[in-house]
Amino acid sequence: MLFRREFGSKNKPTLILLHGFLGTHQDFSTLIPYLKEDFYCVCFDLPGHGKSKQLQYTNYDSLEEIILRDIEPYSNASSSLLGYSMGGRIALNIFNRLNCSKLILISTRIDPLSKEEKDERALFEKKWATTLLKDSFSNFLITWYSQPLFCTLKENPLLLKKIMSKRFNEDPKFLAKAFLALSPCNLLPHFDSKKPLLYLTGSKDLKYASIAKKLEQNSNQIFVHSHPTSSHAVHLEAPEFTANQITTFHRYFYDRMENSTSI
């Protein structure tokens, strides 16, 4: 069973939160104070991470079944599913198998990879998995967070130090297994544009900011917001901004569902 922490009243709409690679439920600790008055927040540790690190699975399909089994009881007509990066890829894959009415993605790839992108991603993953297993974990973390998509973290050394300190209890062999199993090469994300989507990212993360710009043109059900001074981990860099966007998005659509009106 996935480890989870719950915050807020069960009488409030449910918000299910899935962290990214290297993270745990603790990555949402700065968001929760802004959200728990309006939501019943359920934060999970995904397989290979945190207190769920030793869960057994053989491939992505078996891993997904574990996640679905434990999330499904929290899924209902007023609930929202939130995923960041790797957690966002999982959210995309399972969203249509749950009863959640709204999807919230933070810095997440939307479209399946092309053949060329899969080949490039496979080399990327081989490099990082090898580094994770053979290098010291501290060196791996330093190198990982030196990637361009995390560019603004170096401008906030106290936050970066806090993020990295939360990672030191992780086990590289479980992380490497999850990293490869949850590869975008193995996932076939599909978003039903008939359902509301909130997409958040940081403007300084150029790769995902470009995804955000494309999404803005797709549907009036899709709301896109970019934080001007953040990069990939916008929920860690700008938790109040992130929480405000989540709350506003939910109220906009939830009020209309309650009143049986259309947008």
Side-chain angles (χ1 to χ4, degrees):
M1 179 175 290
L2 295 177
F3 178 83
R4 67 183 185 276
R5 288 289 308 276
E6 302 169 21
F7 306 89
S9 169
K10 292 183 178 180
N11 295 325
K12 299 290 185 178
T14 302
L15 179 62
I16 302 163
L17 301 98
L18 306 180
H19 61 78
F21 178 58
L22 299 175
T24 69
H25 70 280
Q26 293 180 338
D27 282 11
F28 299 111
S29 61
T30 52
L31 276 181
I32 296 303
Y34 298 109
L35 294 171
K36 65 181 181 181
E37 297 302 318
D38 295 299
F39 296 97
Y40 171 48
C41 301
V42 187
C43 307
F44 287 91
D45 281 357
L46 292 169
H49 298 74
K51 295 184 179 180
S52 300
K53 65 167 62 76
Q54 297 189 45
L55 284 175
Q56 297 299 308
Y57 56 92
T58 56
N59 53 29
Y60 174 75
D61 290 337
S62 61
L63 185 153
E64 183 179 277
E65 290 306 315
I66 292 172
I67 296 171
L68 277 168
R69 178 198 65 202
D70 291 347
I71 288 179
E72 199 279 332
Y74 297 95
S75 168
N76 56 64
S78 66
S79 63
S80 302
L81 177 63
L82 180 153
Y84 160 64
S85 196
M86 180 192 78
R89 296 200 298 268
I90 296 170
L92 269 173
N93 259 50
I94 67 175
F95 184 61
N96 288 334
R97 296 179 65 184
L98 296 170
N99 294 323
C100 297
S101 58
K102 296 170 294 301
L103 180 63
I104 301 166
L105 300 176
I106 302 174
S107 303
T108 300
R109 172 74 185 246
I110 295 288
D111 299 321
L113 273 61
S114 66
K115 172 64 169 61
E116 293 75 16
E117 288 173 324
K118 285 186 177 181
D119 291 341
E120 184 179 338
R121 179 73 189 194
L123 292 174
F124 170 87
E125 290 171 353
K126 182 178 180 180
K127 167 197 165 186
W128 282 108
T130 300
T131 303
L132 182 54
L133 292 171
K134 293 188 176 181
D135 201 353
S136 72
F137 191 39
S138 59
N139 284 343
F140 172 85
L141 290 174
I142 292 169
T143 308
W144 180 264
Y145 286 111
S146 296
Q147 294 182 88
L149 75 168
F150 296 111
C151 62
T152 53
L153 285 180
K154 65 183 179 182
E155 300 169 10
N156 191 339
L158 290 179
L159 175 60
L160 180 57
K161 183 178 179 180
K162 183 178 179 180
I163 291 170
M164 292 180 62
S165 69
K166 290 182 177 179
R167 310 306 192 218
F168 284 118
N169 290 327
E170 299 304 306
D171 188 316
K173 66 177 181 293
F174 292 121
L175 289 173
K177 181 179 179 181
F179 181 64
L180 296 174
L182 290 166
S183 164
C185 299
N186 298 334
L187 308 186
L188 297 173
H190 173 72
F191 174 65
D192 181 358
S193 61
K194 295 178 182 178
K195 292 185 177 181
L197 166 67
L198 172 64
Y199 191 92
L200 302 174
T201 191
S203 296
K204 302 298 184 181
D205 178 0
L206 300 182
K207 176 180 178 180
Y208 289 88
S210 67
I211 294 173
K213 287 181 180 179
K214 292 177 183 177
L215 279 174
E216 283 185 297
Q217 306 168 1
N218 282 3
S219 167
N220 63 357
Q221 295 271 71
I222 300 177
F223 282 59
V224 178
H225 296 280
S226 297
H227 189 262
T229 61
S230 298
S231 51
H232 194 65
V234 61
H235 62 306
L236 297 174
E237 295 186 76
E240 186 173 6
F241 163 86
T242 304
N244 285 341
Q245 298 300 337
I246 293 169
T247 303
T248 301
F249 169 75
H250 179 86
R251 286 175 176 168
Y252 181 86
F253 284 102
Y254 185 65
D255 286 348
R256 281 152 182 74
M257 289 190 294
E258 286 288 282
N259 295 305
S260 300
T261 62
S262 60
I263 298 172

